[in-house]
Amino acid sequence: MKRTAATLTLLSALLAAAACAPDTSDDDGGGGSGDEKGEKVTLTLNWVPYGEHAPFYYGVEKGFYADEGIDLEIKPGNGSGATIQQVAQNQTDFGWADTPPLMAGINEGMEVKSLGVYLQKGPSSVQFMSDQEIKEPADLVGKTVAGTPGDAMYATFPGWLEANDVDPSEVKVVNVQPADKISQLAAGKVDAIMGFFHDQGPTIENTTGETVDYILFSDFGMNVLGTGIVASDKLLAEDPELAKAFVRATTKSWQEVEANQEEAVKIMSEAATEPPPDNVLANQLKDTLPLLEGDGGAIGVNSEESWQETVDLLADGGMLKEAQEPAAYWDASYAAKG
């Protein structure tokens, strides 16, 4: 069945209260044996480890980063906004972060760039227990949906409804903190939640024993690019070859994981700091992989059109007061094809 996911948060909310995950580092360097030496490099995730992050641990264990001269340490994150801040302040070499807070950060003056979004089909969704029998936006009429003010899903939700011929006033939206969404849905206090299907869904199913379904914003006319690699302008100016090497190793890791999901789950389960249960981790990874598909023609390779669509949607939703050209947010040269 379809499943749900972790919440897409934007800078204004994240910088104030990002999330509740601890910002501690993975002492074992993300799962590598330590036998391979290279340049010490840090990657800070967008959140505490979950299935979406398995390719990084897999790539360390398999030596893909070592082959590029990188001794990678993987650090749990505290929300994409906080991760982007750390990248901008050169407290971490690379970040794995969501696109909307990246854009917001750049508009606020942060000197960072996307080197390529890997989850090109955005995971923004409305999730619900399967007995709700929601199949399309029109089925949300009369329902109560929980969302978090300040994040991209909350901002674009009314426009998404209108684009699908639904009057937003006919859907009740209640404001909740990100950490409360799962409990609100599990307790039946709301009919649905806004969030990322590939993270939250398996967690809810594991907790409740019930099946979770979802409808994706992207399947109904609104695709906002998801998570990808972020680096500071300073690093890109001083060591562009490191950035290219990191992108190559990351892309290879994602390519290899698709055919080796069971092994990737085992590796991450043993290497990560407080990972989810193996069954949850496996389902999260499985649900993540279809999101790699995009119109750039390869993993991590984006198109100008998909970036422009995201810029336009966030501008229309009021999240970008002064929308810039895609090149202000994304350097296409690092994940180029060929």
Side-chain angles (χ1 to χ4, degrees), residues 156-235:
T156 56
F157 185 64
W160 179 69
L161 291 174
E162 289 178 344
N164 287 280
D165 299 320
V166 177
D167 185 343
S169 68
E170 296 184 337
V171 181
K172 182 179 180 180
V173 175
V174 296
N175 301 339
V176 300
Q177 293 299 313
D180 295 332
K181 289 181 181 179
I182 288 177
S183 61
Q184 291 281 309
L185 182 62
K189 294 182 178 180
V190 296
D191 299 310
I193 60 174
M194 303 176 205
F196 284 178
F197 78 97
H198 66 311
D199 173 21
Q200 294 170 331
T203 300
I204 297 170
E205 291 185 338
N206 189 61
T207 300
T208 65
E210 299 183 42
T211 301
V212 175
D213 283 337
Y214 64 88
I215 51 175
L216 282 169
F217 283 30
S218 59
D219 285 341
F220 291 91
M222 184 176 287
N223 187 53
V224 173
L225 289 169
T227 43
I229 300 171
V230 179
S232 68
D233 292 352
K234 181 175 184 292
L235 183 148

Side-chain angles (χ1 to χ4, degrees), residues 87-108:
V87 174
Q89 295 170 357
N90 299 295
Q91 296 172 352
T92 187
D93 297 306
F94 298 98
W96 180 252
D98 298 326
T99 301
L102 168 73
M103 291 180 165
I106 290 171
N107 275 22
E108 291 292 328

Side-chain angles (χ1 to χ4, degrees), residues 62-199:
K62 293 297 183 179
F64 301 155
Y65 291 96
D67 289 345
E68 295 285 354
I70 294 172
D71 181 8
L72 184 63
E73 177 184 6
I74 302 170
K75 296 184 176 183
N78 194 32
S80 286
T83 295
I84 293 162
Q85 230 182 0
Q86 290 180 48
V87 174
Q89 295 170 357
N90 299 295
Q91 296 172 352
T92 187
D93 297 306
F94 298 98
W96 180 252
D98 298 326
T99 301
L102 168 73
M103 291 180 165
I106 290 171
N107 275 22
E108 291 292 328
M110 291 189 183
E111 297 182 347
V112 295
K113 288 286 190 304
S114 171
L115 305 188
V117 173
Y118 283 67
L119 302 195
Q120 298 191 56
K121 186 173 184 180
S124 298
S125 63
V126 178
Q127 311 117 55
F128 38 84
M129 299 304 184
S130 61
D131 59 9
Q132 291 283 348
E133 296 185 351
I134 297 171
K135 305 296 183 185
E136 58 185 26
D139 296 330
L140 295 172
V141 171
K143 303 290 187 182
T144 299
V145 182
T148 300
D151 73 23
M153 283 174 286
Y154 189 95
T156 56
F157 185 64
W160 179 69
L161 291 174
E162 289 178 344
N164 287 280
D165 299 320
V166 177
D167 185 343
S169 68
E170 296 184 337
V171 181
K172 182 179 180 180
V173 175
V174 296
N175 301 339
V176 300
Q177 293 299 313
D180 295 332
K181 289 181 181 179
I182 288 177
S183 61
Q184 291 281 309
L185 182 62
K189 294 182 178 180
V190 296
D191 299 310
I193 60 174
M194 303 176 205
F196 284 178
F197 78 97
H198 66 311
D199 173 21

Side-chain angles (χ1 to χ4, degrees), residues 4-65:
T4 67
T7 150
L8 183 66
T9 49
L10 254 145
L11 183 75
S12 55
L14 283 166
L15 295 183
C20 53
D23 190 21
T24 56
S25 65
D26 219 13
D27 293 332
D28 61 9
S33 64
D35 295 329
E36 300 290 344
K37 299 298 182 181
E39 181 176 355
K40 294 284 187 181
V41 173
T42 54
L43 167 70
T44 299
L45 303 174
N46 57 323
W47 200 251
V48 294
Y50 65 96
E52 177 182 313
H53 307 133
F56 295 109
Y57 295 92
Y58 185 84
V60 170
E61 179 66 25
K62 293 297 183 179
F64 301 155
Y65 291 96

